Every structure is written in C-alpha cells, then in structure tokens.
Amino acid sequence: MPGKAVVQVENLRKTYGALVAVDSISFEVYEGEIFGMVGPNGAGKTTTIECIEGLRRPDAGTLRVLGLDPHRDGDALRPLIGAQLQESALQDRICVWEALDLFASLYGAGRNWDPLLQGLGLAESRKTPFSKLSGGQKQRLFIALALVNDPQLVFLDELTTGLDPQARRAIWDLVSGIRTRGRTVFLTTHFMEEAERLCDRVAIIDHGRIVALDSPPNLIRDLAVDSRVVFTADSQFDTSRLEGLPAVTRVEVVGDRVVVHGDGDRLVVEVVNALSASGFRFRDFRTEQPNLEDAFLALTGRAMRD
C-alpha cells in the first residue's frame, strides 16, 4: 500500500505564449519513495518540478506539497524541502565549507553540516574553491546544499547530466542513501538507466502530458516490449532466414550487427536452430531483455528533439 501523499498535483497546466509546456497533468508522490519523471527534451519535466517547488506559478491546477500550497505557503514550505536545480552555480572563489555554512545559516543556528562533508565525500575538498571542483564534486556539493536543512522532501532535477559513468553511479548511491534515511526524493532525468535503477515509480511525460505512470518493471511488462537476440554476422546477412519464424517480429541489420526482435520465451531457441540449420556463421551471440528505455521509446517515439 502506498504511504502518505507528500506531493499532490491535480490538473497542472503551464503555458508560455502559444506553447503548452504542461498540459493538465495529475499525479501523487508518496512518502519514502524515489519518484522519477522522465521524458524527451522539452517534454515539460523541469517546468513541472519548478511549479511544485514554487519557483514558477502555474496557469491552472492545484498543488499541495507536504500539505501546503507552494505559492501561498512558500515561507512555511521552504524549510521542509531541498532542491538541486537543473542549472546551478556558485561564486568561483567560495569554498565548499563556506557554501555549506552560508546555506545552513539561512535556516537558523544549530545546523550541523559537517556530516554532509563526510557522507558525500567532500571532506578532503572542504577548503577547495568552487571553480576548482570537478563536475562530480560540484554535483555532490549541490546535493549537500539541498540536504543542509535536513528536508523531508528533496527535488533533484537532471542531477547527473554531464557526468562520467563513474561519477554518475556514485551519485546514484548517494540518492539511494537519501531514501534510506527516510526521506522522499522527486527526481527528473532523461537517463532511462538512472530512472530504472533508482525509482520506485516513474511518470513518463511527453508533450506536457503524462503518458504512463507505474513502477519500471510494470511499465516494461505492460507495454509488452520485445526481447532481442543480437549477433555479429561473418558475411552479408539475408533477413529472410529469420523473418518467417513465429517468435520473430522484426530483424534489423546495421553493418555486420544483426538485431532480432521477438517473443522472449521462444525467440532464442528458434533463432539458434534456424542459424544452425542454414549453416550460417555468426559470433558474439547474446540476448537482451527489454528495459525502461525500450518502454520509453515505445511511448514517445525515436525521433530526435531539440
């Protein structure tokens, strides 16, 4: 059973002139979960989260965050939440400890931020100016600043964009740790692996509307996304060898790489038997199970967007 709703969104709408950025969406975020919102560039993710944080005023709809209206009750709400924005910066010369001390002072005396330095791996960089930090260190600092008031609810907007894989996975561990400490996390991302790895539930938003909302396993299962068999062809491959098989839905050839889509229960056996019977030489044979990215593409399409 879901816990208490800490974010309630009903018929949220936001426009910029003729552009409808968010088109009457409704959803809830429950206490203690990591909730993700994913979508293509320009889908409405950041506008949605900024309306919920109280940074943008919606044109229509009802918002409740921890039982408060983020615009009418902003002064009461801000001490209860933390936010890492999509684009953030600090003065070049401010040191890590100075930034934490400054932000902590905004919430009153007695805020002990030193454990954040230790927990987020910033202790050795406490005297390092912001301009000298690596990308991963900057992101960890922004997470620390979002947590300095010990918030009940944390918003993280595209927190791993621009990071290398090692730094990205370190940030994932940190986010999981926030939930372990009993906090609720609302994040936006366009990395499907990130959403699948971290989130209890995911809302897929496209053109300002939520097109699906469920746990990653349920989204993958309910969309009946094909499994795949992938192998490298040692010579030019004739797709007709496999296209007539009952378990195969389609065959793609890109250079010497062959991708066979179909029913996971029978696909591997039928493909292997057909290739063996024909005497065709192949290598690097492997199976790929459907994932959240497949579900995302099935719902939003494959066309590139600006």
Side-chain angles (χ1 to χ4, degrees):
M1 295 291 293
K4 179 177 67 175
V6 295
V7 175
Q8 297 168 290
V9 178
E10 296 181 10
N11 299 316
L12 174 64
R13 181 178 175 86
K14 180 64 178 177
T15 62
Y16 302 102
L19 174 65
V20 180
V22 181
D23 192 3
S24 300
I25 64 173
S26 301
F27 63 93
E28 294 183 338
V29 178
Y30 300 116
E31 186 176 40
E33 75 172 336
I34 299 179
F35 180 90
M37 178 167 282
V38 303
N41 292 335
K45 303 185 298 296
T46 294
T47 297
T48 298
I49 200 171
E50 289 182 349
C51 287
I52 296 170
E53 292 166 337
L55 298 177
R56 293 185 185 274
R57 187 173 294 276
D59 299 320
T62 302
L63 299 173
R64 289 290 182 273
V65 181
L66 299 172
L68 301 171
D69 184 304
H71 300 281
R72 187 184 63 226
D73 307 317
D75 289 344
L77 178 62
R78 277 187 284 274
L80 305 178
I81 65 173
Q84 172 265 327
L85 305 181
Q86 184 175 10
E87 296 183 5
S88 302
L90 296 171
Q91 298 92 335
D92 286 346
R93 295 184 181 181
I94 192 170
C95 295
V96 169
W97 78 266
E98 291 173 327
L100 282 164
D101 198 56
L102 172 63
F103 275 61
S105 71
L106 301 176
Y107 296 99
R111 296 289 181 179
N112 182 12
W113 44 260
D114 194 64
L116 288 172
L117 285 177
Q118 303 293 333
L120 294 174
L122 293 170
E124 295 183 0
S125 305
R126 62 182 295 134
K127 295 183 179 180
T128 303
F130 178 77
S131 62
K132 301 297 184 182
L133 298 176
S134 68
Q137 289 172 324
K138 289 179 179 178
Q139 289 294 65
R140 293 203 301 274
L141 175 56
F142 288 132
I143 292 175
L145 296 176
L147 297 175
V148 75
N149 59 322
D150 192 23
Q152 298 177 36
L153 171 63
V154 185
F155 295 96
L156 304 171
D157 192 5
E158 302 284 4
L159 78 163
T160 62
T161 298
L163 298 186
D164 61 67
Q166 184 180 38
R168 183 175 296 129
R169 279 159 177 76
I171 295 294
W172 292 351
D173 290 340
L174 296 175
V175 174
S176 296
I178 296 171
R179 192 258 305 277
T180 301
R181 294 195 293 272
R183 302 301 183 249
T184 305
V185 179
F186 185 143
L187 65 85
T188 71
T189 182
H190 63 269
F191 293 113
M192 295 304 107
E193 183 184 1
E194 181 167 285
E196 188 170 357
R197 180 79 64 90
L198 292 177
C199 296
D200 300 295
R201 292 187 303 137
V202 172
I204 298 178
I205 186 170
D206 192 27
H207 296 294
R209 294 185 176 182
I210 292 178
V211 295
L213 197 168
D214 210 330
S215 68
N218 286 347
L219 288 171
I220 296 166
R221 183 197 64 214
D222 293 347
L223 285 169
V225 179
D226 289 342
S227 296
R228 295 180 296 273
V229 167
V230 182
F231 59 88
T232 301
D234 287 341
S235 59
Q236 186 173 0
F237 186 74
D238 180 4
T239 59
S240 65
R241 299 172 186 266
L242 302 177
E243 287 174 334
L245 298 176
V248 173
T249 56
R250 73 180 190 277
V251 182
E252 301 174 343
V253 179
V254 182
D256 62 353
R257 184 173 182 265
V258 181
V259 182
V260 186
H261 300 257
D263 183 344
D265 293 336
R266 311 190 316 274
L267 181 64
V268 175
V269 172
E270 289 189 6
V271 170
V272 169
N273 288 343
L275 293 175
S276 298
S278 68
F280 184 80
R281 295 175 59 85
F282 60 93
R283 52 192 167 83
D284 301 330
F285 187 95
R286 66 185 185 277
T287 60
E288 294 182 355
Q289 294 303 310
N291 55 32
L292 187 60
E293 182 171 342
D294 296 312
F296 173 81
L297 292 173
L299 286 165
T300 64
R302 296 173 179 266
M304 293 290 291
R305 300 188 188 177
D306 296 327

